Amino acid sequence: MFNNLLTLDEFTIQQLRLFPHATGELSGLLRGIGLAAKQVNVEVNKSALADILGAAGGVNVQGEVVQKLDVFANNAFINVLRSGINCAGIVSEENEELVVFDDIKSNQSKYVVLLDPIDGSGNIDINITIGSIFSIYRRVSELGKPATASDFLQPGVKQVAAGYIIYGSSTMLVYATKRGVNGFTLDTAIGEFYLSHPGMKTPDHGQYYSFDNCYYHQVDTKVKDYVDFCMSTTSNKNGPYSNRYYGCMVADVHRNLLKGGIFFYPQVTGKPNGKLRLCYECNPMAFITEVAGGRATDGSRRILDIQPQHIHQRSPLFIGSKEMMDDLERFMR
Ligand code: AHM
Ligand code: MG
């Protein structure tokens, strides 16, 4: 079926040819991430079964200790990136501290990676879509030495590439560089990602809003007014919008990217900065969305311009189609 399509590896190598001075490190990194994604995909597909098999004492029929999927995914990404030679270290939602790959080869690597190994963890047990998110920066610390916090605390606008994997009815890897956003679908029969969505662009307008409505009474009046606008048939000439909320940002943003829509996780009572993490959730999704033609803010500032202070800091997030973001901004002013 995919006979005439490029694989992820072929595509990244083809991109490399456009830059005579490119070293191939970024392609190598993306290849590694693609490999980890395939490992996670296999595990995702059997996770319900693994849970059943592992229910008694956490050991499955082969006698292997059953790992929680987020731990498995975290290890898969870290192991692949550590065994490669293109990554100097990572930050992950699953690790409190930086993980610096302090060896001679890794210290020479010019890239660092930030990860949310499993986004939408609450969906694992019930067989609903989950994702993984990654963000790649060029180091600012001295090459030849171990990576430092400064490499990871760069504003999102400095991302070299960012992407996500969505484990849905099929598994896709979508990644962006400044040149464009491209989506690859996993052919599980041969275990390759194929370029299925070249040059992704998001519609300027859509019919979906993605917001956890249980917080309606806990958000700022401006956000409440905007939610009312989304549901209105009078003040909103395109309304009412359909509400879609997976509890997995990757899934919601992916749908909105393809169909047009807006996703938001604002400040709510008890969560003064929302829930989502700036460095490995908001920034990569904002980068992808902007390259595709959409926008992302924290309600007032462009997400990609925020200078992170801490690797795990949270930020409110409003992200989606350009004209819907324009509407939102009228309410947020
Ligand atoms: P996670 O990384 O722990 O899975 O949390 C992130 C997820 C987002 O994907 C999703 O949009 C949100 O948390 C759901 O939270 P809530 O249940 O508060 O709406
Ligand atoms: Mg997450």
Side-chain angles (χ1 to χ4, degrees):
M1 171 188 169
F2 290 137
N3 272 353
N4 301 320
L5 300 180
L6 291 175
T7 66
L8 175 64
D9 292 355
E10 287 169 333
F11 179 81
T12 55
I13 289 165
Q14 198 180 73
Q15 295 290 302
L16 198 62
R17 294 190 203 282
L18 304 173
F19 300 96
H21 301 296
T23 57
E25 281 184 65
L26 185 61
S27 313
L29 257 188
L30 290 165
R31 203 163 31 244
I33 289 169
L35 172 62
K38 286 188 257 185
Q39 294 171 353
V40 175
N41 181 64
V42 169
E43 216 58 23
V44 167
N45 284 328
K46 65 179 189 202
S47 63
L49 189 59
D51 234 19
I52 293 162
L53 298 176
V59 176
N60 66 16
V61 277
Q62 284 90 37
E64 299 158 339
V65 176
V66 177
Q67 279 183 327
K68 283 274 171 216
L69 192 60
D70 20 29
V71 176
F72 177 92
N74 193 41
N75 290 339
F77 282 104
I78 294 179
N79 290 343
V80 163
L81 293 170
R82 195 196 286 275
S83 16
I85 52 169
N86 304 305
C87 180
I90 63 113
V91 149
S92 163
E93 184 173 15
E94 295 292 325
N95 297 81
E96 194 55 39
E97 306 291 338
L98 318 177
V99 180
V100 174
F101 304 153
D102 186 5
D103 61 76
I104 293 171
K105 272 287 174 204
S106 301
N107 290 346
Q108 289 296 342
S109 306
K110 59 175 185 246
Y111 295 113
V112 293
V113 178
L114 293 88
L115 293 166
D116 180 359
I118 296 290
D119 176 61
S121 314
N123 289 353
I124 296 174
D125 294 349
I126 47 170
N127 195 18
I128 295 181
T129 300
I130 51 178
S132 302
I133 312 176
F134 62 91
S135 163
I136 302 175
Y137 288 85
R138 193 167 283 120
R139 289 174 67 173
V140 290
S141 61
E142 194 182 331
L143 277 189
K145 301 221 167 115
T148 65
S150 60
D151 299 321
F152 300 94
L153 292 174
Q154 302 187 56
V157 71
K158 298 274 187 192
Q159 287 170 103
V160 171
Y164 60 81
I165 296 106
I166 178 166
Y167 311 96
S169 41
S170 58
T171 294
M172 277 186 76
L173 185 153
V174 174
Y175 85 91
T177 62
K178 288 203 174 79
R179 299 175 52 80
V181 185
N182 291 284
F184 301 80
T185 301
L186 182 63
D187 179 347
T188 48
I190 55 168
E192 283 285 4
F193 280 105
Y194 282 94
L195 180 62
S196 52
H197 295 62
M200 289 166 70
K201 286 283 168 207
T202 191
D204 286 342
H205 206 96
Q207 284 300 318
Y208 296 113
Y209 79 101
S210 310
F211 165 63
D212 189 341
N213 272 311
C214 80
Y215 299 123
Y216 179 79
H217 294 294
Q218 299 180 43
V219 297
D220 192 279
T221 326
K222 297 170 183 172
V223 177
K224 217 183 227 180
D225 288 346
Y226 178 69
V227 175
D228 291 342
F229 169 82
C230 289
M231 295 188 290
S232 167
T233 48
T234 48
S235 61
N236 181 0
K237 67 176 185 335
N238 299 303
Y241 300 147
S242 296
N243 180 228
R244 294 283 187 280
Y245 194 77
Y246 276 103
C248 168
M249 181 191 37
V250 166
D252 284 313
V253 172
H254 177 72
R255 183 201 48 251
N256 293 347
L257 206 59
L258 294 177
K259 302 281 186 196
I262 186 166
F263 169 96
F264 43 105
Y265 203 121
Q267 166 178 16
V268 302
T269 309
K271 296 177 187 166
N273 292 308
K275 177 184 184 190
L276 301 170
R277 313 294 185 137
L278 174 63
C279 297
Y280 42 81
E281 294 185 316
C282 304
N283 268 336
M285 299 314 267
F287 182 84
I288 298 161
T289 299
E290 281 203 9
V291 177
R295 292 177 49 212
T297 72
D298 71 348
S300 57
R301 294 174 296 176
R302 180 187 180 211
I303 288 289
L304 298 182
D305 287 336
I306 300 173
Q307 172 61 54
Q309 303 298 329
H310 188 273
I311 52 173
H312 295 297
Q313 89 185 53
R314 298 176 197 270
S315 170
L317 176 67
F318 299 82
I319 183 167
S321 295
K322 206 160 130 284
E323 288 171 8
M324 298 174 91
M325 289 294 291
D326 292 344
D327 283 338
L328 169 83
E329 254 146 44
R330 285 193 286 108
F331 288 87
M332 300 304 283
R333 256 178 232 137

